[in-house]
Amino acid sequence: MANLDAADTTFRPKPNLPPPPNTVGAVGWMRKNLFSSVLNTLLTLGAMWLILSVAYTLFDWGVLKAVWVAENRRECLDRSPDGACWAGVIHWFNTFMYGRYPYAEQWRPNLGLVILILWMLPCWLPRVTGKIGIALSAVIIFPFLAGYLFAGGEKGLILQILVSAGIVTFITIWLHVLSCLLTGRSLPVHILGITGFTDKDDRLHKYPLIGAFGLALIVVLILQSGWEPPEVGTNLWGGLFLTLVISGVGITTALPSGVLLALGRRSRMPIIRVSCIAFIELFRSVPLITILFMAVTMMPLFLPETVTLNRLVQVIIAVCLFAAAYMAEIVRGGLQAIPKGQYEAAQSMGLNYWKMMALVVMPQALKLMIPNIVGNFIGLFKDTTLVSIIGLYDLLLMLKAVSQNPQWNGLYLEPFMFGTFVFFIFCFAMSTYSQHLERTLGSGQVRR
Amino acid sequence: MSVDEMNVAASQIKSQVQNEVVIELVNVNKWFGEFHVLKDINLSVYKGERIVICGPSGSGKSTLIRCINRLEEHQKGDILVNGVTLDSNLKNIDAIRGDVGMVFQSFNLFPHLTVLENCTLAPIWVKNTSKREAEETAMHYLTRVKIPEQAAKYPGQLSGGQQQRVAIARSLCMNPSIMLFDEPTSALDPEMISEVLDVMVGLAESGMTMIVVTHEMGFANKVADRIIFMDQGEIVEQNVPAEFFGNPKSERTKLFLSQILNH
Ligand SMILES: Nc1ncnc2c1ncn2[C@@H]1O[C@H](COP(=O)(O)OP(=O)(O)OP(=O)(O)O)[C@@H](O)[C@H]1O
Ligand SMILES: [Mg+2]
């Protein structure tokens, strides 16, 4: 102890001891987290028993004793009275997906889905430029193309132009993507090169681009004029397809209209502000089901009698208004989190209001709002099941309809299990993707 | 040439430059509700002039310079910048803001953009500069504030001093003819203050018209052509640094100087 030799009193760290046994690895983890005390051990065992027995019962019912092939419910019950009758779900699977959409035309919804996926896919590809434009075009132009693809029938000139614009945009996007991936340069650069505009003034660059688009539009307009798939009335749309159409339109319009409403609510112009507040508060304080009823029964009263509204359109409008009001409040919350200094810095550099909002404020606010926005989307997706109450054959009503069919009378558990699974897949995917977005978007800015 | 002769020559050059008024405030008054923040402010700033504004907290210094690019609205009197009157005409305001840079106490960099993007945002979107040109300008000014190597980082990854230098570079990228600084160093740790002040001294030497709100009296003494002392919304005293520090006239100035210099 009394050693005063300088060399010995200097601090020398001892080498770290190895961790005590039974604190590392799976065994160590379990000892620490599951069996650290008597109470903890009891809880662990109890919970395990619960999980196992539920899992086993489900497995026994849904797999071991399940019937996969049968003509009707009677047969299911005869073969295995306390097993699941998946034969019913399989028999009705097509109806769950498409409702009463004619079997021969079901390639159209499928094609629509494929086009949508291909349309959005470039947003996740590396080295592709103009992703915001691609995503925006999917929101703005794709719905017209898809809408016509699904509904078919005669098309007026405006619809023809919109459909052609959709086709041209889709082709343009993929030419652009291939050009980016293969040559590393964007499509506009190539067009400028071919037309010899590369060296000209930047302001002239838009003309060959607009020209090329216009030319393609005219060609497609002529080519598509003969294309007229048979009409499929929206009363035949149903199942998951209908659910996706309604919630898809609701989700894509909710964000832009919510942003506008939120900005309007903060506007300095009293008329805009008051009407935005009135709209938001009205639609937020009424349940969706009421809005749906109002849309179906009241909307015709405001329109001239000659206009007959499509019920699906009415419902979609109602869902969009409802979703917009909710989104507006979420966006407002996000806007409030942006410090005043950001606005001032943007203003002091001469950015006008819209540029300030679009370039500085909204990107930051939206990033903060991702969890809320996606939560709202999930809620909206599930809420669309309410349209079954006013007689649209969405997935939920289709599931319910099975039990009323004479052949499958009383079969409701299995269809609902299936529905649960479908909704879970979609909602879980959205939730997971939102967490992924949060992580990747937030990575650049550790400190603020 | 003797030192005296040089000083005379310099002051002649200065007076030649100085005869052009770029900012003019005439009887400017401002209220926050009932509270009278700015009382009959009269001020002319000449081209190339470096003005330091000081005064106790709450005296209206920030409010005054924020009125010059209309981040705050004044209620009475006239403010002219480059001969253009600031009123509710949005075109005028945007034109003036493009020509008047501002650096804030809390940097106010855009955290979602990289340093380079921070610097190119306004040139691209306000002045319609091409992206390549804007990036060249940005790198030029980032080099001038001595942090070109940080261009690809996000503001959150930089130190306070570095952030403030980026903020200065960001303003300079708009090629402003006037720069306003609102306590640019008071949010910084002491060891970072000098790196920002060095940049500002360099800027002053390049002939930029500058209005700087600061408590850095060393800086004021070194670069200011004129020091303005404000208290309770009034300009109490203004003078060249030597006179201001050596021979303050008003009691309030003396009190303020004794407080700030004894720190
Ligand atoms: N937006 C506002 N609304 C109401 N009062 C305000 C507002 N901004 C500033 N004030 C008040 O105006 C007065 C002057 O503020 P200003 O920020 O100009 O002072 P300052 O001289 O810059 O002080 P400091 O050295 O603390 O920055 C202060 O009393 C402040 O409380
Ligand atoms: Mg201040």
Side-chain angles (χ1 to χ4, degrees):
Chain A
M1 283 292 114
N3 193 340
L4 294 175
D5 189 0
D8 278 345
T9 51
T10 49
F11 173 72
R12 282 207 202 89
K14 293 195 187 111
N16 287 338
L17 291 174
N22 294 337
T23 59
V24 285
V27 178
W29 183 87
M30 287 199 326
R31 272 179 76 101
K32 187 161 156 248
N33 291 293
L34 300 180
F35 304 103
S36 58
S37 67
V38 178
L39 180 67
N40 200 339
T41 307
L42 282 178
L43 282 176
T44 302
L45 292 178
M48 266 182 182
W49 174 80
L50 204 67
I51 293 170
L52 284 179
S53 61
V54 167
Y56 179 75
T57 317
L58 266 181
F59 185 72
D60 185 51
W61 172 80
V63 179
L64 293 183
K65 294 195 182 132
V67 179
W68 297 89
V69 192
E71 283 303 305
N72 52 41
R73 179 127 197 271
R74 197 62 272 136
E75 198 183 324
C76 268
L77 290 176
D78 289 344
R79 298 246 297 272
S80 166
D82 36 56
C85 181
W86 297 122
V89 172
I90 293 168
H91 183 265
W92 289 96
F93 181 77
N94 195 270
T95 322
F96 292 158
M97 293 295 116
Y98 304 98
R100 293 183 290 153
Y101 206 94
Y103 187 73
E105 301 293 332
Q106 283 175 5
W107 59 272
R108 280 153 59 178
N110 296 344
L111 179 63
L113 183 66
V114 171
I115 292 179
L116 178 62
I117 291 172
L118 287 179
W119 199 307
M120 296 296 290
L121 184 67
C123 295
W124 287 273
L125 292 178
R127 293 206 290 149
V128 174
T129 52
K131 288 181 178 171
I132 295 178
I134 295 175
L136 272 182
S137 70
V139 172
I140 297 169
I141 304 174
F142 171 75
F144 295 103
L145 179 61
Y148 180 69
L149 184 61
F150 299 158
E154 265 180 53
K155 45 187 193 284
L157 185 63
I158 295 178
L159 192 54
Q160 294 208 19
I161 293 175
L162 285 172
V163 168
S164 310
I167 297 172
V168 174
T169 311
F170 181 68
I171 296 171
T172 310
I173 287 173
W174 270 94
L175 283 178
H176 170 70
V177 168
L178 292 178
S179 139
C180 282
L181 292 181
L182 299 179
T183 67
R185 279 181 298 169
S186 73
L187 184 63
V189 173
H190 284 290
I191 293 179
L192 291 177
I194 292 166
T195 51
F197 270 77
T198 312
D199 302 326
K200 301 209 174 141
D201 190 353
D202 277 7
R203 261 160 288 170
L204 295 175
H205 282 181
K206 57 179 182 276
Y207 296 113
L209 301 180
I210 294 174
F213 190 87
L215 194 67
L217 188 66
I218 291 169
V219 171
V220 171
L221 196 60
I222 294 166
L223 289 180
Q224 61 82 47
S225 60
W227 179 59
E228 195 179 303
E231 183 168 352
V232 180
T234 50
N235 56 329
L236 297 179
W237 301 16
L240 181 62
F241 165 57
L242 183 68
T243 302
L244 288 179
V245 167
I246 297 174
S247 52
V249 177
I251 284 172
T252 43
T253 54
L255 195 54
S257 46
V259 167
L260 288 181
L261 278 172
L263 294 180
R265 190 172 186 154
R266 293 156 55 103
S267 167
R268 286 208 201 140
M269 282 170 268
I271 300 179
I272 294 181
R273 187 176 58 239
V274 169
S275 37
C276 285
I277 293 177
F279 178 90
I280 293 169
E281 294 305 330
L282 178 68
F283 277 90
R284 262 163 48 92
S285 40
V286 180
L288 177 58
I289 186 69
T290 322
I291 299 175
L292 288 172
F293 272 121
M294 298 276 271
V296 175
T297 56
M298 303 259 302
M299 219 185 271
L301 299 182
F302 295 110
L303 293 167
E305 275 183 37
T306 46
V307 182
T308 48
L309 266 187
N310 180 315
R311 173 164 290 204
L312 178 63
V313 174
Q314 290 170 312
V315 163
I316 286 180
I317 291 174
V319 168
C320 288
L321 296 178
F322 179 79
Y326 267 85
M327 193 55 78
E329 285 302 280
I330 293 177
V331 174
R332 190 166 72 100
L335 286 178
Q336 272 167 352
I338 305 301
K340 208 161 146 251
Q342 295 288 311
Y343 293 86
E344 289 177 350
Q347 283 170 351
S348 75
M349 293 192 299
L351 290 169
N352 65 28
Y353 177 80
W354 292 106
K355 286 177 184 166
M356 170 177 78
M357 282 298 165
L359 300 169
V360 175
V361 179
M362 275 301 164
Q364 296 183 54
L366 288 176
K367 208 172 287 180
L368 291 175
M369 294 180 300
I370 288 172
N372 289 334
I373 291 176
V374 176
N376 192 37
F377 285 170
I378 292 175
L380 186 65
F381 182 67
K382 294 187 291 186
D383 279 352
T384 53
T385 50
L386 286 172
V387 302
S388 60
I389 296 181
I390 53 167
L392 288 183
Y393 283 86
D394 80 322
L395 180 57
L396 188 72
L397 198 56
M398 281 295 154
L399 298 169
K400 227 161 41 181
V402 173
S403 63
Q404 278 140 28
N405 182 291
Q407 298 278 301
W408 300 93
N409 199 356
L411 184 77
Y412 57 88
L413 189 55
E414 290 84 350
F416 279 117
M417 289 287 284
F418 173 73
T420 309
F421 179 70
V422 170
F423 275 102
F424 175 77
I425 295 283
F426 277 92
C427 295
F428 185 68
M430 282 195 258
S431 161
T432 313
Y433 187 62
S434 107
Q435 282 162 27
H436 167 77
L437 267 188
E438 266 175 76
R439 250 176 288 126
T440 48
L441 289 180
S443 56
Q445 352 164 350
V446 203
R447 287 181 288 165
R448 276 189 74 121
Chain B
M1 232 198 277
S2 75
V3 177
D4 270 7
E5 278 170 327
M6 265 169 67
N7 279 344
V8 171
S11 68
Q12 273 169 355
I13 293 168
K14 208 178 260 176
S15 64
Q16 273 168 13
V17 178
Q18 275 184 358
N19 50 28
E20 189 184 337
V21 177
V22 287
I23 301 176
E24 180 139 43
L25 283 79
V26 184
N27 286 332
V28 171
N29 280 276
K30 173 162 182 62
W31 289 263
F32 280 121
E34 291 286 290
F35 181 60
H36 201 168
V37 218
L38 297 180
K39 300 169 187 161
D40 280 329
I41 302 284
N42 285 293
L43 178 66
S44 297
V45 181
Y46 298 91
K47 192 172 168 59
E49 203 180 9
R50 280 92 63 166
I51 290 184
V52 165
I53 303 179
C54 60
S57 181
S59 54
K61 309 179 294 289
S62 301
T63 311
L64 176 65
I65 69 165
R66 287 158 59 87
C67 280
I68 294 173
N69 66 355
R70 203 149 173 109
L71 286 181
E72 301 285 359
E73 218 172 295
H74 62 283
Q75 277 100 23
K76 226 177 104 195
D78 288 318
I79 300 180
L80 284 90
V81 180
N82 291 330
V84 182
T85 311
L86 277 183
D87 50 26
S88 51
N89 184 336
L90 288 177
K91 281 245 165 58
N92 287 352
I93 296 174
D94 283 342
I96 284 165
R97 282 175 179 167
D99 200 40
V100 180
M102 182 151 194
V103 175
F104 300 85
Q105 181 175 0
S106 50
F107 327 138
N108 294 350
L109 293 175
F110 305 134
H112 63 300
L113 301 177
T114 63
V115 165
L116 189 65
E117 288 164 344
N118 263 280
C119 293
T120 57
L121 184 82
I124 290 175
W125 290 94
V126 178
K127 289 199 162 172
N128 290 325
T129 319
S130 76
K131 189 173 172 205
R132 209 186 38 195
E133 212 177 306
E135 280 176 356
E136 276 166 17
T137 317
M139 287 314 293
H140 168 75
Y141 284 114
L142 285 174
T143 313
R144 198 158 144 196
V145 301
K146 304 186 190 75
I147 33 175
E149 72 281 0
Q150 312 283 6
K153 286 197 184 164
Y154 284 89
Q157 296 164 313
L158 304 184
S159 75
Q162 289 172 325
Q163 290 193 45
Q164 192 61 298
R165 285 185 283 153
V166 172
I168 294 174
R170 178 176 73 172
S171 289
L172 291 176
C173 283
M174 286 293 282
N175 285 321
S177 66
I178 301 164
M179 287 285 286
L180 308 174
F181 293 83
D182 189 1
E183 306 203 26
T185 56
S186 48
L188 296 177
D189 291 338
E191 72 270 20
M192 295 174 187
I193 290 179
S194 66
E195 67 187 50
V196 172
L197 289 182
D198 286 348
V199 168
M200 290 171 61
V201 170
L203 197 58
E205 282 164 358
S206 76
M208 175 71 75
T209 311
M210 292 164 70
I211 302 183
V212 185
V213 175
T214 186
H215 292 139
E216 296 293 331
M217 288 303 139
F219 172 82
N221 199 9
K222 190 162 156 197
V223 305
D225 295 314
R226 189 159 30 135
I227 300 183
I228 291 177
F229 174 69
M230 282 187 73
D231 192 14
Q232 297 180 0
E234 294 168 319
I235 294 183
V236 177
E237 181 165 353
Q238 44 180 317
N239 219 329
V240 294
E243 280 292 302
F244 182 82
F245 291 116
N247 187 14
K249 299 200 175 57
S250 116
E251 282 306 313
R252 285 194 270 179
T253 318
K254 284 178 194 156
L255 182 67
F256 175 73
L257 283 178
S258 71
Q259 281 168 345
I260 200 161
L261 295 178
N262 289 342
H263 254 290

